[in-house]
Structure formats: C-alpha cells, structure tokens
Amino acid sequence: MNQQIDQKGLDNPDPTKSKNGSHKLSNKVNDFAIRFATVNGTGSASANNLLLKAIFRMGVPVSGKNLFPSNIQGLPTWYEIRVNGSGFTSRATAFDLVVAMNTQTYETDIASVRPGGYLIYDSSWFIPTKLLRDDINFLGIPFSTLFAEEFSESRERILMRNIGYAGAVAAAIALDTNVLAELLDETYSSNERLRNSNHRALQLGYNYAMENFSCPLPIRLEHIDANKDKILIDGNTATALGCIYAGATVAAWYPITPATSVAENFTKLCSRYRRETITLEDGTTEVRNNYIVLQAEDELAALGMVVGASWAGARAFTSTSGPGISLMNEILGLAYYTEIPAVIIDVQRTGPSTGMPTRVQQADIMECAYASHGDTKHILLFPADPEECFRFTAKAFDLAEHFQTPVIVLSDLDIGMNDWVASKFDWDDNYNWDRGRVLSAEDLEAIPKFYRYSDEDADFVTPRTLPGISTKGAYFNRGSGHDRFGGYTESSDSYIQVVDRLVKKHQASAKYIPKPIVETRPGARFGVITLGSCEMAVKEAIYNLDQDGLPLDYMRVCGFPFPDEVKNFIDSHEMTVVVEQNRDAQLRSLLILETGSSPDQLRSVLSYGGFPISADLVVDGLLNQLKD
C-alpha cells in the first residue's frame, strides 16, 4: 500500500480500527453522514450528485447540502450527504466518513470526523503530523498518482479523480454499482467517450478500495423502499414548475444568487410547453412562443414589468433574493396601493447588503411583510420543501389575483439550490384558476358606472377591468392619493377609507392561505413554532426530546397574515419557542406584532451562521429555553 501521512507514514489497512485500535464505529445501516471536501470549480458536483442520486434510487431517504463559496473557482467547497432510513435528513454536524480532497482544509475536515469514523484522502500528498487523530481511521488512496497514469489530459485527470473518489465511496458504503452504472449511462448517453471515461474512473476508485480496505465499512447501505412515490428535485425547479401550472406567461428578472435558476428553469419549461403551432393564411404553419421572459436592467425594473403585465391581464412573476426585494420596495408599494396583482419569488440568502450570497438565512420576513414606505402589508407564503414550492407558488397567483395585491413566496437557498427527496407533485387537471373580480364588457354594460375602488365584496376586494375591454371600464391608475372612485384626493377621510379597506382585505386573506401544520403530543405543556426549511431539523429535535421524556407540540406556519389557529396555539401553551434562521427573531417579532401575544409567551432559538439548521442545534436551544 502507498499510504503517506507525513514523512513518518502510517499504514492502516483495517477500516474497523483507528491507528491505535481504540475506537471503531458500530454497524450503521442506512444511517450515517458523509462530507466531501473539494475545491470550487473542479467539477466535483458531478461526482457528488451521482452518489446522491444512486442512494436515492436504492430507496433510502437522503439529503445533499452544497456549501459552496461565492467565487467562480479556487476556494474550498463542501458537499454533505446524510442518509437516514427513518427520513430524518436535516443537516448533520459530525460525519462518519469524510472525503478530504483539498489540502487547504485538512484541519477542518479531520476535525469534522466523529470518533471512530473514517477519512478518505489523497495519499499522493502528505498530511501534517499535528493533524493526526488517534480516534479515527485514515484510508489513503493515491488518487492523483493513479489518475495521472490513467488519463493524459490535465483537466480530464481533475474531473475523473472526482469520479474516482465516488467509486471508492461506493465500495466503502456498499452502494449498488449497477445503480451507479445505470446513472452514468443515462447522463452520458449521447457522448460515448465521456461515458467510457467515467466508467473507467469509477471502477479505478472502486477497485482500489476493495483491494486495500475491508469493504464495506461498518457504515453501509441496504436497499429499502422508502422513496416510493418520491422524486429528487430542487426547490427552484419546483418553483418554476409551479409558475407553469399556474398559467404564468410573463417573467421579468435580474440575475441574483440563489434565485437565478428559477427564471432559467421557467424559460426552459416554457420553450417546451409554452409554444403553439399557428396555421397562417397561406396554409403554412409557424411555431410561436406563448410566453415572454425579460431580463431587466435591475430588480426595480423587473418588478415594474411584472406589474405592467399583470395590470394588462397576464399572470406574471419575478424571482429574486433579499437585495432585490430591497430595490423593489417602491413598486411593491405602488402595486399594493393601486391593487395590481404580482407574484414575487424570494429565495432568501444571508444579508445584510451583499452578505454571503451562497449561504442560507430566513432574514427577509419583516422586510417582505411590510415592504415599501407608508402603511403596507403583504401576503407571504412559506414553503418548507420543493413540493410546497410547487404548490404554494401556484397558489400565489390565485391569491394575487383574488386579492389584487402582491404575493411574496419566501423560499431560501437550502430549499432552492439543494436536491431534496419530495413527494411526487399532484395536480388536478380540472382545476380552475381564481382570476378574481375582473369585469367583462358584458358586466360593464350591466352597471350604470364603473368605479375602480368601490363595491367591495365580503373579502373587501373591489372589481377591476383589463385595458381594451371597454371604454366604460377605463380609469386612471394612480399611485398618489385616491378616493374610492379612483379620483385624486388629499382628503383625510377619503384616504383613510381606502387604506382601511386595504388592511381589511389583507386580514381577510388569512383564511385563504395554506393552514399551519400542527402536531400535538399527550402531556405537552410547551409548543414550538417554526417555518420553511427549519421543519426537518425541528421535527427531528422534537422526536428526540420526546424519546427522552420531554413532549412538545409543533406548529409550522405556512403563510402571513396568520390565521386564528396561530394565536390559539400560542395561548394554549405555557410557553412557545420560535425556531428560525435569522439573528433578530423576525418570525417571533411578527407573531408578537400581529397576534398581540405577550413577548413573555414567546422565546427564540436562532441559527444565522449561513449553514442549514441542524437538529442538534435545535435540541440544545430548546433545552436551554426550557431549563427553567
């Protein structure tokens, strides 16, 4: 064997023992975590995704978290896979197996291995003696040397070395090689040379591990059927699908991490499903696009285009992140006050300012709830996974048109850019969109006179018209002070009458947004409230505490304004802990402001370092808040 650890060397062929034999992991079937440490821009994503998809196809619940820098290449990047047969796949905090392919991060990577765990590393390079640990197992594979001999081109060697470590991991954890081969054949079906190179690289890593280590390791996979009726998908793709099924035909956007792929995926889907063949007068046919996607000069212009398209009757949206919401505030206020539908997808990232563009937070809650100057309140939806991204996004268009107002869907980077195991999407082909109170030419003929902001219904919504339908439905659309007839005013009474109806309309929307998800346990005195991508970690934490004799009730809010169930949940518990991913406890603040709950009733567990929240952090936080 050629395992080099510093100049002294260390031979450790038995993967059940650390170098002094004092630690080893017990058998862990379908319950472990792996971390891959690489360099950004080296093509490691292909290898990591290959492993994730293969585990999924073996029927085992799995998650993948891509922790990447915001530069193009050269900086450290990590990819974390958690496998759990019971479905608890929130982010792990310690790893059973770490694949260390970046010498810059050896110290961090070695420290992240749990006692008794394993480190696969490129033994073509030395590990400094000071980084050695007696309680983990070092498994050296000379990837650089092996792949220099096997592949002639430098770029190909780098790419194939990643596939090589995927092969070694497959041997270590008993990943079905037939599944891996099938995935490679599917991925490179149109490129025989690449397909053959990938198969060769995978086999090279697999064979070395099988020949030099006792594979599989105590951490290993077995086929189960837990992913029946499940798919593997990221939230941004699911969001784009939701826009398609909602009937959106206009998108205006400005590129921004981590929301760019929403518009990109929408464009790809439209090119496939939003085209129609037209027969011309001369009998020939022509394929025409039944959609428009516009890249604006900035986020403010993008939302302006969306509002204009929505005013004209199209279903339109924009996708952005926190900095974009900041720029959109002025037009958000315009759409709110003039009562024009608009859908905004906010894939949240770390702020303030530029912040950390490739890290996750839930720090746009307060900004979105009250976006724009003056008294404004917006409808918010909080999806927790890609399936809800699909469903809530489609729902957002109905809400926007029913209530004639902006609706903001708050996803986040973890949901948006990582692959999740999600339930297959369900859609009723007989579903009718809610286009709201839009008057036709016939409707207008049946009334004496049309006033844009009069004749509110039970939800305090007034009828609107679309341009070009009838001159009788024409009106001046103004963002300045206007009365219930649509006329300009600076009268206090007339202004108050309009804005009071707007807040009543917002309150009325509470019964239309998705209901909170509630789970109760016998004997629970305390409650936990959370939102969005915190769900997996919070539910796992509550399960673990329940096993230890501390039952807690659970609620996940799915939208704002809050329905009565939220206030009732808070009032029915001695104390409720709010778990969220921001520094300033924004969800807790919104709950206090909007439900009238006492600050003493609500405490916080906060995670805002930019990485997806873990169950361990939630357990520690809950115990700390409940210790009294």
Side-chain angles (χ1 to χ4, degrees), residues 2 109 157 217 219 411 534 541:
N2 179 28
D109 300 330
R157 285 199 295 269
L217 304 179
I219 54 169
S411 175
C534 294

Side-chain angles (χ1 to χ4, degrees), residues 21 110 294:
I110 292 170
L294 299 164

Side-chain angles (χ1 to χ4, degrees), residues 260-318:
T260 293
S261 60
V262 174
E264 290 177 339
N265 283 314
F266 179 76
T267 305
K268 292 175 185 176
L269 291 165
C270 282
S271 67
R272 183 172 180 180
Y273 299 111
R274 287 272 187 272
R275 309 188 79 188
E276 55 186 351
T277 302
I278 304 295
T279 302
L280 305 177
E281 291 182 0
D282 62 2
T284 60
T285 60
E286 181 179 289
V287 178
R288 294 181 180 175
N289 292 337
N290 189 25
Y291 68 96
I292 183 168
V293 178
L294 299 164
Q295 182 176 324
E297 61 267 33
D298 55 36
E299 290 88 348
L300 183 66
L303 183 56
M305 295 172 183
V306 168
V307 171
S310 298
W311 173 77
R315 285 198 150 185
F317 77 96
T318 187

